[in-house]
Amino acid sequence: MGNRYTTSSAFLEALQEAGVTHLFSNFGSDHPAIIEALALAEKEGKELPKVITCPHEMVALSAAHAFAQVSGKAQAVFVHVECGTQNLGAGLHNAWKGRTPVLIFAGSSPYTQEGELLGSRNEFIHWIQDVPDQRGIVRGYMKYDNEIRTGANVKQLVHRALQIAESSPKGPVYLMGAREVMEEETTPIQMNTDLWQPISPRALAPKEIAPFVEDLRKAKNPLVITSYIGKNKAAVHELVKFCESLAIPVLESVPNHMNFPSTNLLHCGYQWNTPEQNALIEEADFILVIESDVPWIPLINKPSKDCTVYYIDEDPLKEGMPLWYIPSKRFFAADAETALQQLNVAIAALDVNQAEIVKRRAKVEAYHNEQRANWAKAETYSEGIMTAEYVTACIREYCDENTIVINEGISNFQASYTHLQMSETGSILGSGAGGLGWNGGAAVGAKLADPSKTIISITGDGSYMFSVPSSVHWLSRKYDAPFLTVIYNNRGWKSPKLSTLGVHPDGVANEMNEFFVDFTPHADLSKIAEAAGGAFARKVENPAEVKEALKEAIAAVRSGRSAVLDIYLPAIQEENKMKVGNEHATV
């Protein structure tokens, strides 16, 4: 057939032109033209994005997700027709809600069946995989979806898709193309990529700055709440400058990044499903919510009715959330870094009561120091008792400026953020959403994006099993992307138990200690990684062994071998029994 230049050739060229470096791929019967074009490029020494073969689609998308978080650049995921699309599963939710740019390409069943065109149906599966609306499977989770119908404008479609994916708020995009179209011969064209850049950051309307600054100046107890401003490292520096200028405390609510240095004395902690009123929120008379979906849960934790709230976000109305409202004086659709730069200029020219700022700083710093002292007490080693706080404090000893923590701790989110106390921008990442199983692929993606970093993945046993660890660790070994996984293993899904107790604290499930979430019989989870990827594997049941085990595991990772520590916390089925036993002991 010779060296044909096809739609697939142009498609791959366009990805290369746009700066995509990796194709996280799970190929199928719809990809012969793509595979042929890749092989031809390799034969001719032509540079195209590197193929990363992923034995599971969820792993592929999670890897591309974290790669984009670390590198700042969207990558591509290739999957097989509607089956592969559906197998992306919760990863679609994560990329969408986590505002992460990624281009997903899926083939589709051929639309001819008698050899009319090259690529016509020749396998029984082509009839079975022909569905009425393949794009509809993902449409609710995409910023953009389209079908490639000709090679004549495939490059324009790719550049438009990536322009949309990388424009704020960022997110996933989806393209599909049938075999016949992807096999079609076409004419090469040159693209000027300067004409396809993401939209420029949005700023605050100048007339809105003075009223904001005046309300802030009058506030006695201002507060900043954020969740994901840390996705832009420069925005973190602007936030620190903003808060330092007026001694404003910062609360991280449901964080997915390092949003404000934990070591800064204005940092006042973290909150998730906090079951009580936060004192800082309650006493605040001015709150700036910046880059946050859930600054508080109003059922149990909210500002006073007299508090003035301002909202700055890429998407301040959360139009993709059917039920959402945080009544605020003003909502600003603006880039956080740009908005804070504007506000910092205005504040620098402000005449403020310095004595009041000094007094407020002393109060906030006292709060910070007392909070840290309480955190330190929770980390104290207790003979024979394994706690998430102690384990996390041990991990912290190995976290430096060259570490990235992948955090999917779920029921241990509070413990992990609180006791890691990260302060380097980009040093901790979450999926930004609730699709479990992100951690494994994300760890591989983060390592591929920056091989100089030590990657530590924190996960529960439930999320670890969701992550398809056999695929993850095969991938880790094949592409030389070693990382450490620490499993906080309570032998079950603790989060559904906590959810049940949150609604029915004195219910029958609690009385019977039956939540239908225990993993009995227990699997030897670390051995999965050892078998699939040659990983260092160790189960740790004695808290006295944690530090030694971490030392061994980190040494293995630094030698080029992944490691999994399966650390046994108290089992969720035993917690009620332990509580009852303790109650009897105090009577």
Side-chain angles (χ1 to χ4, degrees), residues 461-476:
D461 47 318
S463 294
Y464 179 78
M465 288 194 280
F466 272 129
S467 73
V468 201
S470 57
S471 178
V472 165
H473 284 280
W474 177 88
L475 197 64
S476 167

Side-chain angles (χ1 to χ4, degrees), residues 61 79 81-82 84-89 92-93 96 104 106 133-146 172-176:
L61 183 50
V79 297
V81 294
E82 104 289 7
T85 298
Q86 293 186 85
N87 228 21
L88 292 167
L92 295 170
H93 160 90
W96 171 239
I104 300 167
D133 186 11
Q134 181 173 312
R135 288 156 59 193
I137 297 168
V138 301
R139 192 166 293 125
Y141 301 88
M142 294 293 125
K143 287 192 70 182
Y144 170 79
D145 68 270
N146 204 347
V173 294
Y174 183 87
L175 295 175
M176 58 177 274

Side-chain angles (χ1 to χ4, degrees), residues 18-296:
V20 172
T21 57
H22 290 72
L23 310 178
F24 295 92
S25 303
N26 192 289
F27 290 133
S29 63
D30 45 339
H31 295 121
I34 294 284
I35 293 169
E36 189 70 9
L38 286 166
L40 178 59
E42 186 172 320
K43 178 182 177 182
E44 295 179 342
K46 181 178 180 180
E47 188 175 2
L48 287 177
K50 181 179 180 180
V51 174
I52 305 295
T53 301
C54 299
H56 195 283
E57 293 86 348
M58 175 68 179
V59 175
L61 183 50
S62 298
H65 182 147
F67 194 110
Q69 287 177 303
V70 173
S71 69
K73 191 66 183 174
Q75 301 302 305
V77 173
F78 282 27
V79 297
H80 179 45
V81 294
E82 104 289 7
C83 292
T85 298
Q86 293 186 85
N87 228 21
L88 292 167
L92 295 170
H93 160 90
N94 291 338
W96 171 239
K97 293 296 185 181
R99 299 168 181 81
T100 304
V102 59
L103 185 148
I104 300 167
F105 172 75
S108 66
S109 284
Y111 53 79
T112 60
Q113 69 175 33
E114 297 184 30
E116 299 95 331
L117 296 169
L118 184 62
S120 189
R121 295 185 183 188
N122 62 348
E123 303 176 36
F124 79 92
I125 202 70
H126 293 150
W127 283 266
I128 296 170
Q129 291 172 339
D130 191 2
V131 296
D133 186 11
Q134 181 173 312
R135 288 156 59 193
I137 297 168
V138 301
R139 192 166 293 125
Y141 301 88
M142 294 293 125
K143 287 192 70 182
Y144 170 79
D145 68 270
N146 204 347
E147 181 176 357
I148 299 169
R149 295 184 174 90
T150 173
N153 69 349
V154 66
K155 283 196 173 185
Q156 290 89 333
L157 292 188
V158 169
H159 285 285
R160 170 167 164 74
L162 285 167
Q163 181 183 42
I164 292 171
E166 295 187 325
S167 293
S168 176
K170 299 178 181 181
V173 294
Y174 183 87
L175 295 175
M176 58 177 274
R179 292 210 312 184
E180 294 93 332
V181 171
M182 302 311 292
E183 292 281 5
E184 173 190 306
E185 291 195 49
T186 190
T187 302
I189 63 169
Q190 297 298 315
M191 297 289 292
N192 182 354
T193 57
D194 291 341
L195 305 179
W196 297 88
Q197 296 303 305
I199 60 171
S200 297
R202 290 178 287 185
L204 300 177
K207 68 178 182 179
E208 299 283 5
I209 295 174
F212 176 100
V213 171
E214 179 58 21
D215 282 345
L216 177 59
R217 186 188 64 80
K218 292 186 297 185
K220 301 297 182 184
N221 294 300
L223 176 66
V224 169
I225 300 178
T226 186
S227 301
Y228 45 82
I229 196 172
K231 64 185 181 342
N232 176 358
K233 295 178 182 180
V236 175
H237 299 304
E238 291 296 331
L239 180 60
V240 170
K241 182 178 179 181
F242 175 83
C243 293
E244 288 284 1
S245 65
L246 298 175
I248 304 172
V250 175
L251 176 65
E252 294 192 58
S253 183
V254 199
N256 278 283
H257 298 268
M258 199 298 294
N259 299 300
F260 196 87
S262 182
T263 51
N264 188 300
L265 294 175
L266 296 175
H267 190 285
C268 289
Y270 311 88
Q271 66 177 17
W272 273 263
N273 296 330
T274 309
E276 65 273 330
Q277 176 68 53
N278 182 284
L280 292 175
I281 294 177
E282 185 175 35
E283 72 174 23
D285 56 359
F286 177 102
I287 296 179
L288 168 59
V289 180
I290 184 164
E291 299 283 77
S292 178
D293 292 338
V294 188
W296 52 77

